[in-house]
Amino acid sequence: MTRARAHRTALRWLPLAPATTLLLLFLAGPIAYCVWLAFTDTQLTGQASASFVGLANFRRAFADDGFRNAVLLTLVFTVLSSLVGQNTLGFALAALMRRASKPVRTLTGAVVIAAWVLPEIVAAFLLYTFFNRRGTLNAVLEWLHLPQQNWLFTLPILAVSFANVWRGTAFSMLVYSAALAEIPQDVTEAAEVDGASGLRRLWHITLPMIRRSIGTNLMLNTLQTLSVFGLIWAMTRGGPGDRSQTLPVFMYDQAFLKSLIGYGTAIALLLLLVGAVFSAVYVRLLREEV
Amino acid sequence: MRPTRPVLLVALSALALTSCGSGSGDDPDTVKVAYQRSTDNKVRIMDAYLAGIKKQFERTYQGKKLRLLPVQASQDDYYTKIQQMMRSPKTAPDLVREDTFLINADIKSGYLRPLDDKLAAWKHWDRFAASAKASARAEDGRTYGVPDGTDTRGLWFNKELFARAGLPADWRPRTWNDVLDAARAVKRAVPGVIPLNVYTGKGAGEGAAMQGFEMLLYGTGADPLYDPAAKKWRAGTTGFRDSLEFVRTVFAEKLGPQPSDALDPNVSTRVAGEWIPEGKLAIALDGSWLGKYWQPDGSRPWPQWSRVMGRAAFPTQDGRDPGRVSLSGGWTWSISARSTKADLAWQLVELLQSPENATDWTVRDGQIAVRDDVAANDRYRSSMPGVEFFTGLVKNTHYRPALPVYPQVSSAIQEAMESVTTGDASTERAARRYDERLRSIAGADGVKAS
C-alpha cells in the first residue's frame, strides 16, 4: 500500500521533471555561480587566474566610502520614490478616480499607465530632456520668470527619484484601485450615517481594510525600486561625482568599468540583503493584529 | 515503474537541453573582426575603411569571408564588451582592435594570442618605430598586437578669439600659468565663450586621465605616475596635487565649460563637432586627430579651420626641460587567444598593413604614422595642416605605464578629477583618496610614497 503511494508520488513528479531541470539549469546554476564569484577576486581583465578570497570582498565593501554612499543614496531613492512617491500618489489617484466621472477616469488611467508601459530607456530619455539644463522644465520656469536650476547636476538624486515616481506610480494605482473596489459599500455607508468625517473614515475603515494590499504593494514597489538601473544610468550615469550612484549603479561601475567582477557580485548579494531587510520590516509592520 | 525512472528522465531532458544551443556555426572560412564604432553617427571612418578591406580580402582569398562586428559604444563600454566576447570561444572575434591603454590587462587575462611567430616572418615589422613596437609588448617580452598608428596631444587655439582678447596668433605658452592667464584674458575680453577645455571626470573616461590629467602630471618631473626602476606606483606626490589644483582652478574660476557639460560622457563629441567650429571655445587641450573631423569628408566639415585654428605644444609646469609635454596612445590589431582561425586572421593583419592600406588608414583617421614608410609618404605629409607639428611632438612624447592595473589607476584619477571639478572635495582630500585607492589597487607594496 505504502509502496503504491510512493510510486504514485514519484509519478506525480514526472510531469514536473522538465521544468525542474530547466529551473536548476538556468536559474539555480547561475545564482550559485554568482554566490561563488562573490567570494573570489575574479576580474574581467588584468588577471591570469582568480582565487578564493573568503570574505575579503565584503570587508572591502564595508570599508569603502563609495559603498556607504551608495547604500545611503539607495535608501534615499527607495524611501522617496517608492514609499513616499509611488505609494502615496498611487493611493491618492486610486481614491480620487473612484469619485471621478467615467471619461476623466479613463483619461487619467490611460496617461498614468502610459508612463508605466514605456520602455525604461525611453522614459529615461524623456526625463533626461525634461530635467536637462536646456530642457523642458527650465524652459517652463523661464517662461514663468522663475529661477532655473541645473537639476541633473545640483539635485541628481531628486531628479532620478522623481523620474521613478513618474514611471512607477501606475502600478500602485492599479493595486489600490482593485483594493478599494473590494471594500463593501455597507461598511462605508454605516460609518457615514454615524457621522464619521472623510479623514476618519479613511484612517479607521479604508486603510485597515486594505492593509494586505498596502503590504503587498510596498513590498513589490520597494523591490522594483531597489533594482532600478537603466533609468539612473541613462539620466546621470550615477554622477555627477557619485551623487546619484545607487547600489545597482555602483555595482555596475565596480564590476564592468573597474573590472572587479568578484567585488561587484559581493555588492549584488548585499543589495539582496537590503531588499530582504525592507521586506522583513513590511511583513512585521503589517502583520494581522490578533 | 521503478523509482529510478524519474532520475533517468531528468538526466535525459538535461541532455536534450544542453545539446541545443551549441552548433553556433563557427565557419572555418569566415574571419570575424571586432572594432569600435563611434557613438557619433556622422563618424564612420573605420566602417568605410574596413568595408574596402573586406572587398580586397574576399577578392584576394577566394572562398574566404570577412565578417565585421562593429561595437557602437563609448570607449569604456567597448572595452567591457570585447572582454566579454573574448571570454568564450563561441563569441570571441578572430581579430580585435585593442587600445594599447588596456592591452596589457587583456594579455594578462589570457584573451590575446602572442604574435611573435608571425612577426618573425613578416617583412614590414622593421618599418615600425621602436616605441610603437613596444606598445603591445607584454611583461613576458612577447608582442601581442600590430599598432596601426599613434597620436600626440597639444593645445589647439582659436586665433580669431585670441585676437579679440589681445593674444598673439603665434601663441607659445611656456608654463601652466601662461595657459591659465591666456584663458583669463579670453574670459575678460570675450564673454559667452568657454576659455579653456581640459577633459575631466568619469564621463570623458580615459580621455580625462590621459588628455587632461597626465598632460599636466608628466610636466611636473620624471616618471610622476609610476616608477619603473622600483616597479611601484607613486602616491602623495606634489606633482599630483599641483595637477589636480590646475584642474580645480580651471573650474573654480569658471575658465572651463559648465561642470555638467564637462562631465557629460559626450563632451568630446561636442568639443570637436560643436564648440570649436562654432567659435565657442578658445583653447582646447586635445589630440592630434581633431583636424580630421573638419576636413571636407569629415563629420563636421569646416573649410576655415586651418586658417582659424593655431597649435601650440603644451608646456611643462614651470618651463623646465624639455619645455613641452605630449602623451601618446594608439590602437593595435590583435588576435584573440580563443580564435580557431589565427592564420586567416594574420593574413588579414598583413592586408591591413600593406603599405598602401596602412597609409590610407593613417590619413583617413588623422593618425600619426608609426611606420617610416608611411611617415615619408607624400600623401601622409600633405594630408592635413598641422600633421608636421604633431608628428614633431613624437620625440617628447610619453606613453602611459603599460601595466595590467593601469585602467583601474586611470579610473581613480578620473574620480579625483571629478570631485575637484564639482567642488565636492578639496585638492588635498581628492589626492588623499587617490592614494588610498592606489593602495587598494596595487597593494601596499606596489606603492611608493614620496
Side-chain angles (χ1 to χ4, degrees):
Chain A
M1 187 70 213
T2 48
R3 268 193 61 170
R5 188 180 301 169
H7 200 117
R8 245 206 329 268
T9 318
L11 270 179
R12 281 213 191 99
W13 275 100
L14 254 188
L16 287 175
T20 316
T21 316
L22 275 173
L23 278 176
L24 282 175
L25 205 68
F26 291 106
L27 210 64
I31 289 173
Y33 179 60
C34 263
V35 172
W36 160 247
L37 275 182
F39 295 92
T40 66
D41 61 358
T42 305
Q43 289 188 21
L44 192 57
T45 185
Q47 175 193 49
S49 62
S51 53
F52 181 81
V53 292
L55 291 171
N57 284 327
F58 296 92
R59 273 200 296 274
R60 176 183 180 155
F62 289 114
D64 183 345
D65 50 9
F67 174 77
R68 280 198 293 268
N69 169 65
V71 172
L72 193 71
L73 285 174
T74 306
L75 293 178
V76 171
F77 181 66
T78 308
V79 169
L80 271 184
S81 66
S82 158
L83 268 170
V84 179
Q86 290 182 11
N87 195 38
T88 320
L89 191 63
F91 179 78
L93 279 171
L96 291 172
M97 273 164 69
R98 281 176 64 77
R99 314 228 162 155
S101 60
K102 193 155 172 56
V104 172
R105 217 175 17 228
T106 318
L107 187 71
T108 317
V111 168
V112 176
I113 289 170
W116 185 43
V117 297
L118 274 186
E120 188 176 38
I121 196 77
V122 178
F125 273 115
L126 280 177
L127 286 147
Y128 174 80
T129 50
F130 178 73
F131 281 116
N132 193 289
R133 189 160 58 86
R134 294 181 303 273
T136 325
L137 181 57
N138 277 345
V140 171
L141 288 175
E142 189 178 24
W143 187 69
L144 295 171
H145 297 290
L146 290 168
Q148 295 176 44
Q149 265 288 358
N150 187 354
W151 306 93
L152 287 171
F153 191 71
T154 43
L155 296 164
I157 193 71
L158 283 184
V160 294
S161 299
F162 175 87
N164 193 40
V165 171
W166 184 82
R167 191 169 172 264
T169 299
F171 181 78
S172 302
M173 186 184 86
L174 293 174
V175 171
Y176 287 129
S177 291
L180 291 174
E182 296 279 289
I183 296 178
Q185 282 290 329
D186 50 351
V187 180
T188 342
E189 276 163 17
E192 247 174 288
V193 170
D194 291 343
S197 70
L199 267 181
R200 285 190 63 178
R201 279 209 306 277
L202 172 75
W203 187 250
H204 288 288
I205 294 169
T206 314
L207 288 180
M209 285 195 121
I210 61 164
R211 102 191 272 136
R212 280 247 170 108
S213 301
I214 296 177
T216 313
N217 183 47
L218 277 176
M219 183 100 82
L220 288 170
N221 246 333
T222 304
L223 293 179
Q224 269 169 359
T225 301
L226 276 178
S227 60
V228 167
F229 171 80
L231 195 70
I232 301 179
W233 187 252
M235 282 176 74
T236 67
R237 286 200 150 214
D242 50 9
R243 278 185 263 162
S244 59
Q245 198 170 46
T246 57
L247 275 170
V249 179
F250 181 68
M251 185 169 89
Y252 178 85
D253 178 64
Q254 295 294 326
F256 295 112
L257 299 182
K258 300 196 173 56
S259 306
L260 304 169
I261 297 278
Y263 184 45
T265 324
I267 294 163
L269 291 187
L270 290 168
L271 177 63
L272 207 62
L273 207 67
V274 175
V277 168
F278 267 103
S279 307
V281 170
Y282 294 144
V283 169
R284 275 202 67 88
L285 279 180
L286 296 154
R287 244 199 334 223
E288 291 293 334
E289 285 161 24
V290 187
Chain B
M1 177 172 168
R2 278 194 302 275
T4 51
R5 192 67 66 82
V7 181
L8 197 76
L9 256 163
V10 169
L12 270 177
S13 53
L15 262 176
L17 282 170
T18 46
S19 60
C20 68
S22 72
S24 59
D26 196 26
D27 173 15
D29 291 329
T30 303
V31 66
K32 293 180 292 183
V33 182
Y35 64 96
Q36 185 196 2
R37 172 180 281 175
S38 170
T39 49
D40 180 344
N41 287 317
K42 293 197 288 291
V43 178
R44 286 291 174 268
I45 299 170
M46 183 56 118
D47 303 75
Y49 170 71
L50 286 179
I53 294 288
K54 178 178 157 79
K55 281 202 193 82
Q56 278 185 46
F57 182 78
E58 291 174 359
R59 219 180 21 240
T60 313
Y61 301 102
Q62 287 299 323
K64 306 292 184 202
K65 287 248 176 304
L66 196 160
R67 210 169 121 221
L68 299 175
L69 306 172
V71 177
Q72 183 164 13
S74 70
Q75 234 161 57
D76 276 342
D77 291 339
Y78 170 74
Y79 304 143
T80 305
K81 176 87 182 177
I82 57 170
Q83 281 153 3
Q84 288 178 322
M85 284 163 88
M86 290 189 291
R87 280 179 95 85
S88 156
K90 277 197 183 124
T91 52
D94 299 300
L95 196 64
V96 60
R97 202 150 183 267
E98 281 270 342
D99 192 341
T100 50
F101 136 85
L102 198 81
I103 196 165
N104 269 284
D106 283 357
I107 293 167
K108 191 164 179 184
S109 296
Y111 292 150
L112 303 177
R113 179 190 184 282
L115 301 176
D116 300 66
D117 54 338
K118 309 283 184 196
L119 293 169
W122 188 42
K123 65 175 189 290
H124 289 305
W125 190 228
D126 290 339
R127 298 229 165 262
F128 286 75
S131 60
K133 282 183 175 180
S135 65
R137 191 178 303 138
E139 289 164 301
D140 64 5
R142 290 189 289 190
T143 305
Y144 288 81
V146 175
D148 65 359
T150 187
D151 46 34
T152 53
R153 284 152 179 75
L155 292 164
W156 291 85
F157 60 94
N158 184 314
K159 294 180 199 168
E160 290 174 351
L161 294 174
F162 263 43
R164 286 166 63 189
L167 293 161
D170 59 350
W171 184 53
R172 288 284 168 274
R174 304 256 171 260
T175 64
W176 288 0
N177 271 335
D178 291 355
V179 177
L180 289 174
D181 286 340
R184 288 173 187 132
V186 171
K187 185 177 163 71
R188 273 194 308 272
V190 199
V193 162
I194 302 163
L196 167 67
N197 180 57
V198 176
Y199 289 116
T200 180
K202 292 183 291 190
E206 178 59 15
M210 180 182 187
Q211 224 137 286
F213 196 79
E214 287 159 16
M215 286 293 285
L216 293 156
L217 187 64
Y218 277 81
T220 62
D223 300 322
L225 190 59
Y226 176 79
D227 180 349
K231 295 204 165 168
K232 287 180 195 294
W233 293 91
R234 301 185 58 182
T237 62
T238 331
F240 192 95
R241 280 195 300 273
D242 292 347
S243 307
L244 266 186
E245 182 58 28
F246 183 97
V247 176
R248 199 196 62 79
T249 307
V250 168
F251 289 94
E253 290 189 22
K254 296 200 168 26
L255 300 172
Q258 292 258 11
S260 56
D261 289 336
L263 298 171
D264 191 288
N266 299 315
V267 62
S268 59
T269 309
R270 292 184 73 189
V271 167
E274 188 181 325
W275 293 344
I276 294 180
E278 289 170 12
K280 289 180 187 161
L281 173 61
I283 312 167
L285 174 51
D286 219 305
S288 50
W289 58 87
L290 282 199
K292 79 178 178 195
Y293 299 120
W294 309 322
Q295 292 289 74
D297 57 351
S299 55
R300 175 69 172 79
W302 180 28
Q304 304 83 4
W305 79 266
S306 55
R307 203 169 33 77
V308 173
M309 296 306 288
R311 286 162 293 270
F314 193 75
T316 50
Q317 182 175 13
D318 43 22
R320 82 185 66 173
D321 271 356
R324 44 173 45 192
V325 178
S326 165
L327 268 121
S328 289
W331 291 70
T332 73
W333 285 110
S334 299
I335 297 177
S336 161
R338 291 188 174 77
S339 163
T340 50
K341 289 159 284 190
D343 292 337
L344 197 58
W346 177 254
Q347 285 171 328
L348 178 57
V349 174
E350 289 198 342
L351 182 74
L352 284 162
Q353 284 297 334
S354 74
E356 304 73 42
N357 286 336
T359 307
D360 185 34
W361 166 250
T362 310
V363 170
R364 274 173 189 253
D365 199 45
Q367 297 252 3
I368 301 298
V370 286
R371 293 172 55 155
D372 57 12
D373 53 350
V374 176
N377 189 310
D378 283 338
R379 193 184 153 203
Y380 167 73
R381 291 172 48 183
S382 61
S383 60
M384 210 167 37
V387 79
E388 301 272 359
F389 168 81
F390 282 110
T391 310
L393 292 176
V394 171
K395 61 178 180 294
N396 298 119
T397 203
H398 301 270
Y399 282 84
R400 290 159 294 182
L403 294 157
V405 295
Y406 175 77
Q408 289 184 53
V409 174
S410 162
S411 107
I413 290 175
Q414 294 159 35
E415 281 170 14
M417 290 178 92
E418 182 146 352
S419 60
V420 299
T421 303
T422 55
D424 282 357
S426 65
T427 299
E428 202 54 49
R429 184 156 158 252
R432 237 194 351 265
R433 279 194 63 181
Y434 168 80
D435 292 351
E436 285 165 23
R437 286 278 318 269
L438 199 57
R439 286 192 182 85
S440 80
I441 292 165
D445 49 3
V447 175
K448 159 181 139 183
S450 22

